[in-house]
Amino acid sequence: NTNDIIRNLKSEYRLRVKDIAQLIGTSENTVRNWLGDPEKGRYRVAPDMAAICLMYALQLRRLGFDPLEPETPTSDDGPPDHESELD
């Protein structure tokens, strides 16, 4: 299940609750509820999108990008001119 995926990623990448919350844009309490004991009242099932976002954020880190500091292109770094490629 999604909670187990997040739990495994937390362990594998040695992430803190705070790290996970920042990487996927949610509160630390929400992450704690996902990682908690399913027998307790505060436990919540994590949405699939939470695990997907965490996996993408970790992949960006692996590629050398900081997922919390997205790069914005400057006017010189815009997309390539595809029309000139067709000539």
Side-chain angles (χ1 to χ4, degrees), residues 18-54:
K18 180 179 181 176
D19 300 327
I20 296 170
Q22 288 177 336
L23 287 170
I24 64 175
T26 193
S27 75
E28 291 179 36
N29 283 335
T30 296
V31 175
R32 282 188 197 97
N33 291 340
W34 295 339
L35 299 175
D37 183 349
E39 302 299 318
K40 303 287 180 171
R42 299 188 81 183
Y43 177 81
R44 298 289 181 267
V45 175
D48 293 342
M49 191 57 66
I52 292 168
C53 288
L54 183 56

PDB file of all heavy atoms in Angstrom, residues 18-54:
ATOM      1  N   LYS A  18       9.999  15.733   8.486  1.00  0.00           N
ATOM      2  CA  LYS A  18      10.084  17.094   7.959  1.00  0.00           C
ATOM      3  C   LYS A  18      10.520  17.094   6.494  1.00  0.00           C
ATOM      4  O   LYS A  18       9.987  17.844   5.679  1.00  0.00           O
ATOM      5  CB  LYS A  18      11.083  17.901   8.798  1.00  0.00           C
ATOM      6  CG  LYS A  18      11.259  19.319   8.351  1.00  0.00           C
ATOM      7  CD  LYS A  18      12.238  20.054   9.259  1.00  0.00           C
ATOM      8  CE  LYS A  18      12.396  21.483   8.808  1.00  0.00           C
ATOM      9  NZ  LYS A  18      13.262  22.239   9.714  1.00  0.00           N
ATOM     10  N   ASP A  19      11.480  16.231   6.135  1.00  0.00           N
ATOM     11  CA  ASP A  19      11.950  16.145   4.750  1.00  0.00           C
ATOM     12  C   ASP A  19      10.827  15.722   3.816  1.00  0.00           C
ATOM     13  O   ASP A  19      10.623  16.318   2.756  1.00  0.00           O
ATOM     14  CB  ASP A  19      13.101  15.141   4.627  1.00  0.00           C
ATOM     15  CG  ASP A  19      14.307  15.494   5.465  1.00  0.00           C
ATOM     16  OD1 ASP A  19      14.582  16.703   5.639  1.00  0.00           O
ATOM     17  OD2 ASP A  19      14.974  14.562   5.962  1.00  0.00           O
ATOM     18  N   ILE A  20      10.106  14.691   4.211  1.00  0.00           N
ATOM     19  CA  ILE A  20       9.006  14.192   3.375  1.00  0.00           C
ATOM     20  C   ILE A  20       7.951  15.265   3.196  1.00  0.00           C
ATOM     21  O   ILE A  20       7.480  15.514   2.078  1.00  0.00           O
ATOM     22  CB  ILE A  20       8.393  12.916   3.991  1.00  0.00           C
ATOM     23  CG1 ILE A  20       9.435  11.792   3.998  1.00  0.00           C
ATOM     24  CG2 ILE A  20       7.140  12.496   3.232  1.00  0.00           C
ATOM     25  CD1 ILE A  20       9.012  10.574   4.786  1.00  0.00           C
ATOM     26  N   ALA A  21       7.582  15.924   4.293  1.00  0.00           N
ATOM     27  CA  ALA A  21       6.565  16.973   4.231  1.00  0.00           C
ATOM     28  C   ALA A  21       6.983  18.084   3.263  1.00  0.00           C
ATOM     29  O   ALA A  21       6.175  18.542   2.446  1.00  0.00           O
ATOM     30  CB  ALA A  21       6.306  17.540   5.621  1.00  0.00           C
ATOM     31  N   GLN A  22       8.228  18.512   3.340  1.00  0.00           N
ATOM     32  CA  GLN A  22       8.707  19.567   2.449  1.00  0.00           C
ATOM     33  C   GLN A  22       8.734  19.110   0.994  1.00  0.00           C
ATOM     34  O   GLN A  22       8.350  19.853   0.102  1.00  0.00           O
ATOM     35  CB  GLN A  22      10.096  20.030   2.866  1.00  0.00           C
ATOM     36  CG  GLN A  22      10.104  20.846   4.132  1.00  0.00           C
ATOM     37  CD  GLN A  22      11.510  21.236   4.569  1.00  0.00           C
ATOM     38  OE1 GLN A  22      12.490  20.592   4.223  1.00  0.00           O
ATOM     39  NE2 GLN A  22      11.595  22.296   5.354  1.00  0.00           N
ATOM     40  N   LEU A  23       9.197  17.890   0.760  1.00  0.00           N
ATOM     41  CA  LEU A  23       9.335  17.395  -0.607  1.00  0.00           C
ATOM     42  C   LEU A  23       8.003  17.233  -1.322  1.00  0.00           C
ATOM     43  O   LEU A  23       7.936  17.404  -2.541  1.00  0.00           O
ATOM     44  CB  LEU A  23      10.087  16.066  -0.612  1.00  0.00           C
ATOM     45  CG  LEU A  23      11.579  16.151  -0.340  1.00  0.00           C
ATOM     46  CD1 LEU A  23      12.161  14.755  -0.137  1.00  0.00           C
ATOM     47  CD2 LEU A  23      12.299  16.871  -1.481  1.00  0.00           C
ATOM     48  N   ILE A  24       6.947  16.920  -0.589  1.00  0.00           N
ATOM     49  CA  ILE A  24       5.664  16.720  -1.258  1.00  0.00           C
ATOM     50  C   ILE A  24       4.650  17.820  -0.959  1.00  0.00           C
ATOM     51  O   ILE A  24       3.536  17.785  -1.471  1.00  0.00           O
ATOM     52  CB  ILE A  24       5.065  15.339  -0.944  1.00  0.00           C
ATOM     53  CG1 ILE A  24       4.728  15.182   0.528  1.00  0.00           C
ATOM     54  CG2 ILE A  24       5.992  14.236  -1.399  1.00  0.00           C
ATOM     55  CD1 ILE A  24       4.016  13.882   0.846  1.00  0.00           C
ATOM     56  N   GLY A  25       5.044  18.798  -0.155  1.00  0.00           N
ATOM     57  CA  GLY A  25       4.174  19.949   0.085  1.00  0.00           C
ATOM     58  C   GLY A  25       2.981  19.677   0.970  1.00  0.00           C
ATOM     59  O   GLY A  25       1.866  20.082   0.655  1.00  0.00           O
ATOM     60  N   THR A  26       3.222  18.998   2.067  1.00  0.00           N
ATOM     61  CA  THR A  26       2.144  18.755   3.025  1.00  0.00           C
ATOM     62  C   THR A  26       2.676  19.020   4.432  1.00  0.00           C
ATOM     63  O   THR A  26       3.849  19.330   4.607  1.00  0.00           O
ATOM     64  CB  THR A  26       1.583  17.320   2.880  1.00  0.00           C
ATOM     65  OG1 THR A  26       0.357  17.229   3.592  1.00  0.00           O
ATOM     66  CG2 THR A  26       2.556  16.274   3.371  1.00  0.00           C
ATOM     67  N   SER A  27       1.816  18.896   5.409  1.00  0.00           N
ATOM     68  CA  SER A  27       2.245  19.182   6.782  1.00  0.00           C
ATOM     69  C   SER A  27       2.951  17.977   7.400  1.00  0.00           C
ATOM     70  O   SER A  27       2.733  16.826   6.995  1.00  0.00           O
ATOM     71  CB  SER A  27       1.042  19.567   7.641  1.00  0.00           C
ATOM     72  OG  SER A  27       0.274  18.421   7.945  1.00  0.00           O
ATOM     73  N   GLU A  28       3.763  18.253   8.391  1.00  0.00           N
ATOM     74  CA  GLU A  28       4.453  17.187   9.114  1.00  0.00           C
ATOM     75  C   GLU A  28       3.452  16.289   9.835  1.00  0.00           C
ATOM     76  O   GLU A  28       3.646  15.077   9.899  1.00  0.00           O
ATOM     77  CB  GLU A  28       5.458  17.778  10.108  1.00  0.00           C
ATOM     78  CG  GLU A  28       6.633  18.444   9.424  1.00  0.00           C
ATOM     79  CD  GLU A  28       7.625  19.049  10.402  1.00  0.00           C
ATOM     80  OE1 GLU A  28       7.843  18.445  11.482  1.00  0.00           O
ATOM     81  OE2 GLU A  28       8.183  20.113  10.089  1.00  0.00           O
ATOM     82  N   ASN A  29       2.383  16.866  10.354  1.00  0.00           N
ATOM     83  CA  ASN A  29       1.373  16.050  11.038  1.00  0.00           C
ATOM     84  C   ASN A  29       0.705  15.070  10.082  1.00  0.00           C
ATOM     85  O   ASN A  29       0.410  13.934  10.459  1.00  0.00           O
ATOM     86  CB  ASN A  29       0.316  16.927  11.710  1.00  0.00           C
ATOM     87  CG  ASN A  29       0.818  17.530  13.000  1.00  0.00           C
ATOM     88  OD1 ASN A  29       1.715  16.993  13.639  1.00  0.00           O
ATOM     89  ND2 ASN A  29       0.254  18.662  13.369  1.00  0.00           N
ATOM     90  N   THR A  30       0.468  15.497   8.859  1.00  0.00           N
ATOM     91  CA  THR A  30      -0.117  14.600   7.864  1.00  0.00           C
ATOM     92  C   THR A  30       0.803  13.418   7.613  1.00  0.00           C
ATOM     93  O   THR A  30       0.371  12.264   7.585  1.00  0.00           O
ATOM     94  CB  THR A  30      -0.395  15.365   6.556  1.00  0.00           C
ATOM     95  OG1 THR A  30      -1.373  16.379   6.809  1.00  0.00           O
ATOM     96  CG2 THR A  30      -0.897  14.444   5.468  1.00  0.00           C
ATOM     97  N   VAL A  31       2.103  13.700   7.452  1.00  0.00           N
ATOM     98  CA  VAL A  31       3.071  12.622   7.218  1.00  0.00           C
ATOM     99  C   VAL A  31       3.113  11.688   8.428  1.00  0.00           C
ATOM    100  O   VAL A  31       3.137  10.466   8.276  1.00  0.00           O
ATOM    101  CB  VAL A  31       4.468  13.190   6.892  1.00  0.00           C
ATOM    102  CG1 VAL A  31       5.497  12.071   6.772  1.00  0.00           C
ATOM    103  CG2 VAL A  31       4.428  14.025   5.611  1.00  0.00           C
ATOM    104  N   ARG A  32       3.104  12.253   9.619  1.00  0.00           N
ATOM    105  CA  ARG A  32       3.102  11.416  10.829  1.00  0.00           C
ATOM    106  C   ARG A  32       1.883  10.482  10.856  1.00  0.00           C
ATOM    107  O   ARG A  32       1.988   9.319  11.244  1.00  0.00           O
ATOM    108  CB  ARG A  32       3.113  12.285  12.081  1.00  0.00           C
ATOM    109  CG  ARG A  32       4.456  12.856  12.401  1.00  0.00           C
ATOM    110  CD  ARG A  32       4.459  13.555  13.771  1.00  0.00           C
ATOM    111  NE  ARG A  32       5.614  14.409  13.856  1.00  0.00           N
ATOM    112  CZ  ARG A  32       5.614  15.716  13.612  1.00  0.00           C
ATOM    113  NH1 ARG A  32       4.491  16.345  13.305  1.00  0.00           N
ATOM    114  NH2 ARG A  32       6.726  16.422  13.701  1.00  0.00           N
ATOM    115  N   ASN A  33       0.729  11.010  10.437  1.00  0.00           N
ATOM    116  CA  ASN A  33      -0.483  10.183  10.401  1.00  0.00           C
ATOM    117  C   ASN A  33      -0.343   9.044   9.395  1.00  0.00           C
ATOM    118  O   ASN A  33      -0.863   7.952   9.605  1.00  0.00           O
ATOM    119  CB  ASN A  33      -1.703  11.031  10.072  1.00  0.00           C
ATOM    120  CG  ASN A  33      -2.076  11.974  11.191  1.00  0.00           C
ATOM    121  OD1 ASN A  33      -1.683  11.784  12.341  1.00  0.00           O
ATOM    122  ND2 ASN A  33      -2.824  13.006  10.859  1.00  0.00           N
ATOM    123  N   TRP A  34       0.349   9.275   8.290  1.00  0.00           N
ATOM    124  CA  TRP A  34       0.565   8.220   7.292  1.00  0.00           C
ATOM    125  C   TRP A  34       1.526   7.158   7.803  1.00  0.00           C
ATOM    126  O   TRP A  34       1.399   5.991   7.466  1.00  0.00           O
ATOM    127  CB  TRP A  34       1.139   8.794   6.003  1.00  0.00           C
ATOM    128  CG  TRP A  34       0.244   9.725   5.269  1.00  0.00           C
ATOM    129  CD1 TRP A  34      -1.117   9.834   5.362  1.00  0.00           C
ATOM    130  CD2 TRP A  34       0.645  10.697   4.304  1.00  0.00           C
ATOM    131  NE1 TRP A  34      -1.578  10.807   4.518  1.00  0.00           N
ATOM    132  CE2 TRP A  34      -0.516  11.353   3.854  1.00  0.00           C
ATOM    133  CE3 TRP A  34       1.877  11.076   3.779  1.00  0.00           C
ATOM    134  CZ2 TRP A  34      -0.479  12.359   2.892  1.00  0.00           C
ATOM    135  CZ3 TRP A  34       1.911  12.074   2.820  1.00  0.00           C
ATOM    136  CH2 TRP A  34       0.748  12.708   2.393  1.00  0.00           C
ATOM    137  N   LEU A  35       2.504   7.585   8.600  1.00  0.00           N
ATOM    138  CA  LEU A  35       3.545   6.665   9.054  1.00  0.00           C
ATOM    139  C   LEU A  35       3.210   5.984  10.372  1.00  0.00           C
ATOM    140  O   LEU A  35       3.933   5.098  10.813  1.00  0.00           O
ATOM    141  CB  LEU A  35       4.877   7.426   9.191  1.00  0.00           C
ATOM    142  CG  LEU A  35       5.423   8.048   7.911  1.00  0.00           C
ATOM    143  CD1 LEU A  35       6.658   8.872   8.215  1.00  0.00           C
ATOM    144  CD2 LEU A  35       5.711   6.989   6.864  1.00  0.00           C
ATOM    145  N   GLY A  36       2.127   6.388  10.974  1.00  0.00           N
ATOM    146  CA  GLY A  36       1.776   5.876  12.290  1.00  0.00           C
ATOM    147  C   GLY A  36       1.235   4.451  12.265  1.00  0.00           C
ATOM    148  O   GLY A  36       1.120   3.803  11.227  1.00  0.00           O
ATOM    149  N   ASP A  37       0.891   4.004  13.428  1.00  0.00           N
ATOM    150  CA  ASP A  37       0.346   2.663  13.635  1.00  0.00           C
ATOM    151  C   ASP A  37      -1.083   2.606  13.094  1.00  0.00           C
ATOM    152  O   ASP A  37      -1.938   3.384  13.507  1.00  0.00           O
ATOM    153  CB  ASP A  37       0.367   2.358  15.134  1.00  0.00           C
ATOM    154  CG  ASP A  37      -0.103   0.966  15.469  1.00  0.00           C
ATOM    155  OD1 ASP A  37      -0.659   0.267  14.597  1.00  0.00           O
ATOM    156  OD2 ASP A  37       0.093   0.571  16.637  1.00  0.00           O
ATOM    157  N   PRO A  38      -1.359   1.669  12.194  1.00  0.00           N
ATOM    158  CA  PRO A  38      -2.713   1.556  11.627  1.00  0.00           C
ATOM    159  C   PRO A  38      -3.791   1.262  12.681  1.00  0.00           C
ATOM    160  O   PRO A  38      -4.974   1.491  12.428  1.00  0.00           O
ATOM    161  CB  PRO A  38      -2.603   0.387  10.645  1.00  0.00           C
ATOM    162  CG  PRO A  38      -1.164   0.213  10.372  1.00  0.00           C
ATOM    163  CD  PRO A  38      -0.437   0.728  11.570  1.00  0.00           C
ATOM    164  N   GLU A  39      -3.387   0.772  13.833  1.00  0.00           N
ATOM    165  CA  GLU A  39      -4.349   0.459  14.895  1.00  0.00           C
ATOM    166  C   GLU A  39      -4.734   1.691  15.718  1.00  0.00           C
ATOM    167  O   GLU A  39      -5.641   1.627  16.533  1.00  0.00           O
ATOM    168  CB  GLU A  39      -3.770  -0.611  15.827  1.00  0.00           C
ATOM    169  CG  GLU A  39      -3.392  -1.905  15.123  1.00  0.00           C
ATOM    170  CD  GLU A  39      -4.588  -2.580  14.467  1.00  0.00           C
ATOM    171  OE1 GLU A  39      -5.667  -2.625  15.091  1.00  0.00           O
ATOM    172  OE2 GLU A  39      -4.440  -3.048  13.322  1.00  0.00           O
ATOM    173  N   LYS A  40      -4.026   2.790  15.515  1.00  0.00           N
ATOM    174  CA  LYS A  40      -4.289   4.011  16.280  1.00  0.00           C
ATOM    175  C   LYS A  40      -5.293   4.893  15.540  1.00  0.00           C
ATOM    176  O   LYS A  40      -5.447   4.821  14.321  1.00  0.00           O
ATOM    177  CB  LYS A  40      -2.993   4.801  16.508  1.00  0.00           C
ATOM    178  CG  LYS A  40      -1.906   4.018  17.203  1.00  0.00           C
ATOM    179  CD  LYS A  40      -2.231   3.829  18.664  1.00  0.00           C
ATOM    180  CE  LYS A  40      -1.097   3.025  19.303  1.00  0.00           C
ATOM    181  NZ  LYS A  40      -1.186   2.948  20.698  1.00  0.00           N
ATOM    182  N   GLY A  41      -5.924   5.773  16.281  1.00  0.00           N
ATOM    183  CA  GLY A  41      -6.957   6.641  15.729  1.00  0.00           C
ATOM    184  C   GLY A  41      -6.465   7.708  14.769  1.00  0.00           C
ATOM    185  O   GLY A  41      -7.215   8.163  13.914  1.00  0.00           O
ATOM    186  N   ARG A  42      -5.201   8.100  14.880  1.00  0.00           N
ATOM    187  CA  ARG A  42      -4.691   9.187  14.026  1.00  0.00           C
ATOM    188  C   ARG A  42      -4.191   8.691  12.672  1.00  0.00           C
ATOM    189  O   ARG A  42      -3.905   9.477  11.794  1.00  0.00           O
ATOM    190  CB  ARG A  42      -3.553   9.912  14.745  1.00  0.00           C
ATOM    191  CG  ARG A  42      -4.026  10.541  16.059  1.00  0.00           C
ATOM    192  CD  ARG A  42      -2.981  11.394  16.647  1.00  0.00           C
ATOM    193  NE  ARG A  42      -3.024  12.671  15.953  1.00  0.00           N
ATOM    194  CZ  ARG A  42      -2.211  13.672  16.160  1.00  0.00           C
ATOM    195  NH1 ARG A  42      -1.255  13.547  17.053  1.00  0.00           N
ATOM    196  NH2 ARG A  42      -2.314  14.791  15.499  1.00  0.00           N
ATOM    197  N   TYR A  43      -4.084   7.390  12.505  1.00  0.00           N
ATOM    198  CA  TYR A  43      -3.579   6.812  11.257  1.00  0.00           C
ATOM    199  C   TYR A  43      -4.477   7.191  10.086  1.00  0.00           C
ATOM    200  O   TYR A  43      -5.700   7.204  10.201  1.00  0.00           O
ATOM    201  CB  TYR A  43      -3.529   5.284  11.389  1.00  0.00           C
ATOM    202  CG  TYR A  43      -3.087   4.585  10.124  1.00  0.00           C
ATOM    203  CD1 TYR A  43      -1.754   4.493   9.788  1.00  0.00           C
ATOM    204  CD2 TYR A  43      -4.019   4.015   9.270  1.00  0.00           C
ATOM    205  CE1 TYR A  43      -1.340   3.843   8.638  1.00  0.00           C
ATOM    206  CE2 TYR A  43      -3.632   3.362   8.122  1.00  0.00           C
ATOM    207  CZ  TYR A  43      -2.294   3.279   7.804  1.00  0.00           C
ATOM    208  OH  TYR A  43      -1.905   2.648   6.658  1.00  0.00           O
ATOM    209  N   ARG A  44      -3.853   7.525   8.960  1.00  0.00           N
ATOM    210  CA  ARG A  44      -4.583   7.838   7.736  1.00  0.00           C
ATOM    211  C   ARG A  44      -3.896   7.136   6.572  1.00  0.00           C
ATOM    212  O   ARG A  44      -2.674   6.991   6.552  1.00  0.00           O
ATOM    213  CB  ARG A  44      -4.599   9.341   7.458  1.00  0.00           C
ATOM    214  CG  ARG A  44      -5.281  10.179   8.515  1.00  0.00           C
ATOM    215  CD  ARG A  44      -6.800   9.961   8.495  1.00  0.00           C
ATOM    216  NE  ARG A  44      -7.469  10.775   9.495  1.00  0.00           N
ATOM    217  CZ  ARG A  44      -7.760  10.379  10.726  1.00  0.00           C
ATOM    218  NH1 ARG A  44      -7.430   9.181  11.136  1.00  0.00           N
ATOM    219  NH2 ARG A  44      -8.383  11.170  11.566  1.00  0.00           N
ATOM    220  N   VAL A  45      -4.691   6.733   5.606  1.00  0.00           N
ATOM    221  CA  VAL A  45      -4.142   6.143   4.385  1.00  0.00           C
ATOM    222  C   VAL A  45      -3.634   7.282   3.509  1.00  0.00           C
ATOM    223  O   VAL A  45      -4.355   8.249   3.250  1.00  0.00           O
ATOM    224  CB  VAL A  45      -5.216   5.322   3.644  1.00  0.00           C
ATOM    225  CG1 VAL A  45      -4.683   4.818   2.318  1.00  0.00           C
ATOM    226  CG2 VAL A  45      -5.684   4.166   4.512  1.00  0.00           C
ATOM    227  N   ALA A  46      -2.401   7.162   3.064  1.00  0.00           N
ATOM    228  CA  ALA A  46      -1.802   8.186   2.212  1.00  0.00           C
ATOM    229  C   ALA A  46      -2.351   8.059   0.792  1.00  0.00           C
ATOM    230  O   ALA A  46      -2.532   6.947   0.289  1.00  0.00           O
ATOM    231  CB  ALA A  46      -0.283   8.036   2.190  1.00  0.00           C
ATOM    232  N   PRO A  47      -2.610   9.186   0.141  1.00  0.00           N
ATOM    233  CA  PRO A  47      -3.062   9.109  -1.251  1.00  0.00           C
ATOM    234  C   PRO A  47      -1.925   8.628  -2.149  1.00  0.00           C
ATOM    235  O   PRO A  47      -0.746   8.865  -1.866  1.00  0.00           O
ATOM    236  CB  PRO A  47      -3.459  10.557  -1.583  1.00  0.00           C
ATOM    237  CG  PRO A  47      -2.747  11.392  -0.584  1.00  0.00           C
ATOM    238  CD  PRO A  47      -2.537  10.554   0.627  1.00  0.00           C
ATOM    239  N   ASP A  48      -2.271   7.952  -3.229  1.00  0.00           N
ATOM    240  CA  ASP A  48      -1.265   7.463  -4.170  1.00  0.00           C
ATOM    241  C   ASP A  48      -0.352   8.589  -4.644  1.00  0.00           C
ATOM    242  O   ASP A  48       0.851   8.392  -4.816  1.00  0.00           O
ATOM    243  CB  ASP A  48      -1.933   6.815  -5.383  1.00  0.00           C
ATOM    244  CG  ASP A  48      -2.661   5.533  -5.038  1.00  0.00           C
ATOM    245  OD1 ASP A  48      -2.384   4.948  -3.970  1.00  0.00           O
ATOM    246  OD2 ASP A  48      -3.515   5.110  -5.840  1.00  0.00           O
ATOM    247  N   MET A  49      -0.922   9.774  -4.837  1.00  0.00           N
ATOM    248  CA  MET A  49      -0.150  10.903  -5.347  1.00  0.00           C
ATOM    249  C   MET A  49       0.985  11.293  -4.402  1.00  0.00           C
ATOM    250  O   MET A  49       2.026  11.779  -4.836  1.00  0.00           O
ATOM    251  CB  MET A  49      -1.070  12.101  -5.596  1.00  0.00           C
ATOM    252  CG  MET A  49      -0.413  13.226  -6.365  1.00  0.00           C
ATOM    253  SD  MET A  49       0.271  12.748  -7.984  1.00  0.00           S
ATOM    254  CE  MET A  49      -1.201  12.331  -8.873  1.00  0.00           C
ATOM    255  N   ALA A  50       0.817  11.056  -3.109  1.00  0.00           N
ATOM    256  CA  ALA A  50       1.876  11.391  -2.151  1.00  0.00           C
ATOM    257  C   ALA A  50       3.122  10.549  -2.411  1.00  0.00           C
ATOM    258  O   ALA A  50       4.243  11.067  -2.431  1.00  0.00           O
ATOM    259  CB  ALA A  50       1.383  11.182  -0.721  1.00  0.00           C
ATOM    260  N   ALA A  51       2.946   9.265  -2.626  1.00  0.00           N
ATOM    261  CA  ALA A  51       4.086   8.390  -2.907  1.00  0.00           C
ATOM    262  C   ALA A  51       4.703   8.734  -4.262  1.00  0.00           C
ATOM    263  O   ALA A  51       5.929   8.760  -4.407  1.00  0.00           O
ATOM    264  CB  ALA A  51       3.654   6.925  -2.871  1.00  0.00           C
ATOM    265  N   ILE A  52       3.868   9.024  -5.241  1.00  0.00           N
ATOM    266  CA  ILE A  52       4.376   9.383  -6.572  1.00  0.00           C
ATOM    267  C   ILE A  52       5.195  10.665  -6.502  1.00  0.00           C
ATOM    268  O   ILE A  52       6.303  10.732  -7.050  1.00  0.00           O
ATOM    269  CB  ILE A  52       3.208   9.515  -7.574  1.00  0.00           C
ATOM    270  CG1 ILE A  52       2.576   8.136  -7.813  1.00  0.00           C
ATOM    271  CG2 ILE A  52       3.673  10.140  -8.880  1.00  0.00           C
ATOM    272  CD1 ILE A  52       1.258   8.183  -8.545  1.00  0.00           C
ATOM    273  N   CYS A  53       4.677  11.676  -5.821  1.00  0.00           N
ATOM    274  CA  CYS A  53       5.413  12.942  -5.676  1.00  0.00           C
ATOM    275  C   CYS A  53       6.738  12.734  -4.953  1.00  0.00           C
ATOM    276  O   CYS A  53       7.758  13.308  -5.340  1.00  0.00           O
ATOM    277  CB  CYS A  53       4.570  13.968  -4.931  1.00  0.00           C
ATOM    278  SG  CYS A  53       3.196  14.614  -5.885  1.00  0.00           S
ATOM    279  N   LEU A  54       6.727  11.909  -3.917  1.00  0.00           N
ATOM    280  CA  LEU A  54       7.953  11.651  -3.171  1.00  0.00           C
ATOM    281  C   LEU A  54       8.976  10.932  -4.052  1.00  0.00           C
ATOM    282  O   LEU A  54      10.153  11.282  -4.057  1.00  0.00           O
ATOM    283  CB  LEU A  54       7.657  10.843  -1.912  1.00  0.00           C
ATOM    284  CG  LEU A  54       8.841  10.560  -0.999  1.00  0.00           C
ATOM    285  CD1 LEU A  54       9.548  11.846  -0.567  1.00  0.00           C
ATOM    286  CD2 LEU A  54       8.392   9.757   0.213  1.00  0.00           C
TER     287      LEU A  54
END
